[in-house]
Amino acid sequence: MAVREVLRIGNPALLERAIDVVDFDTEALHGLVSDLFDTMVAENGAGLAAPQVGVLQRVVIFGVQENSRYADAESVPETVLINPEIEVLGDSMQGMWEGCLSVPGMRGYVERPSHIIYRGFDQFGKLIECEVQGFHAVVVQHECDHLDGILYPSRIQDMSLFGFEEELAAEDI
Ligand code: NI
């Protein structure tokens, strides 16, 4: 078990574009994936991207069972997604209060496309393709943003809907 330190907003590594994974099913990649899961579980997150632990590779993980940080959210299967691409279906948008382990203690209201297909590979190099909506779609887009150096606060349109969890009205988030 290796819980890695999660970099916080302000660390320049979080603004970098990560590079594609070239070699699959390697000891190094399996170790990274294992550490990402250990870290996500330890921090009670819904997802984690490799750049958040200082590894600038296009690897994200996500998965939500019952999560006290997202009490009303539907469950999302545990997924490893590498070199992802997202295709937006339709033009419907949805807004959700997002949080991020790199922006601890804060939440912000972000609107994103509500219906997507994502494609990529798992850690063994197996092709993944999945059509999702709702919370699942939000989690995938949030994590994939990290691979392009984008943190959710830069996607908030109304900055009055951003702040510390403890200050925001509990019924709104
Ligand atoms: Ni995040």
Side-chain angles (χ1 to χ4, degrees):
M1 167 127 178
V3 174
R4 300 215 197 168
E5 184 189 354
V6 177
L7 306 182
R8 293 181 302 169
I9 188 168
N11 187 305
L14 293 171
L15 304 177
E16 298 276 326
R17 188 179 191 281
I19 58 168
D20 278 336
V21 170
V22 177
D23 296 320
F24 292 86
D25 200 14
T26 64
E27 207 170 304
L29 184 57
H30 290 305
L32 172 63
V33 167
S34 168
D35 286 359
L36 287 173
F37 274 111
D38 288 346
T39 305
M40 182 177 82
V41 168
E43 302 289 341
N44 199 23
L48 192 63
Q52 290 181 274
V53 297
V55 177
L56 291 173
Q57 295 184 24
R58 301 184 80 77
V59 178
V60 303
I61 63 160
F62 47 85
V64 181
Q65 307 251 291
E66 281 176 25
N67 186 321
S68 58
R69 292 183 71 220
Y70 301 92
D72 299 328
E74 73 235 49
S75 67
V76 174
E78 229 171 53
T79 303
V80 177
L81 184 61
I82 298 173
N83 300 348
E85 289 180 13
I86 291 175
E87 179 185 341
V88 174
L89 300 177
D91 50 14
S92 68
M93 304 284 284
Q94 64 187 339
M96 277 191 195
W97 285 92
E98 297 190 15
C100 180
L101 296 178
S102 294
V103 192
M106 303 192 81
R107 290 294 179 99
Y109 192 79
V110 179
E111 290 196 38
R112 298 182 186 270
S114 61
H115 190 185
I116 63 167
I117 293 179
Y118 63 84
R119 299 181 179 88
F121 302 90
D122 71 8
Q123 64 271 46
F124 301 96
K126 180 169 159 269
L127 193 66
I128 293 173
E129 180 174 307
C130 194
E131 181 179 339
V132 295
Q133 304 186 56
F135 179 66
H136 194 157
V138 167
V139 170
V140 174
Q141 290 174 84
H142 175 116
E143 297 312 327
C144 291
D145 264 357
H146 279 294
L147 305 180
D148 294 325
I150 298 168
L151 297 167
Y152 81 82
S154 68
R155 293 203 181 274
I156 297 171
Q157 291 183 333
D158 177 351
M159 289 304 285
S160 73
L161 302 177
F162 180 49
F164 288 95
E165 286 171 325
E166 291 170 352
E167 302 287 350
L168 295 162
E171 65 266 28
D172 287 343
I173 63 172

